[in-house]
Amino acid sequence: IEKNNAILDIGNGTLQENLVISFTSENNARPMLSMSVNAGKQKAHLIASDRLELNEWTFLTVVLDNGHGSIYMNGHLKAHGSM
């Protein structure tokens, strides 16, 4: 996995109300799931606390609700914060 591969990118153009879900990996480590929100000059970013296991199915859920984001892996909360 290359660094910051987007798996979902929803929005109105570059840096305009975008929600980006991506895999993040550094130094060939197992990938992590991240969520970014771009709203003009404001940008928020969350990264899951655990890395994804290779060659295993993982149920991923990303929630953006009322300015707060959450990332779940297999039903367990792995990141939460203001977005």
Side-chain angles (χ1 to χ4, degrees), residues 5-41:
N5 279 325
I7 55 175
L8 178 66
D9 186 344
I10 301 170
N12 294 324
T14 305
L15 301 178
Q16 297 179 12
E17 305 298 327
N18 289 30
L19 169 63
V20 179
I21 310 302
S22 60
F23 290 118
T24 300
S25 182
E26 295 181 4
N27 301 324
N28 295 323
R30 291 190 330 249
M32 300 174 80
L33 188 68
S34 68
M35 175 170 65
S36 299
V37 175
N38 298 316
K41 294 181 181 180

Side-chain angles (χ1 to χ4, degrees), residues 30-77:
R30 291 190 330 249
M32 300 174 80
L33 188 68
S34 68
M35 175 170 65
S36 299
V37 175
N38 298 316
K41 294 181 181 180
Q42 296 180 338
K43 183 174 181 178
H45 193 74
L46 287 178
I47 299 176
S49 59
D50 290 349
R51 295 188 178 276
L52 295 166
E53 293 296 328
L54 298 178
N55 302 313
E56 289 186 19
W57 284 99
T58 303
F59 182 71
L60 304 171
T61 305
V62 177
V63 177
L64 183 59
D65 183 32
N66 215 15
H68 295 279
S70 302
I71 298 174
Y72 294 86
M73 294 171 58
N74 293 325
H76 299 280
L77 182 63

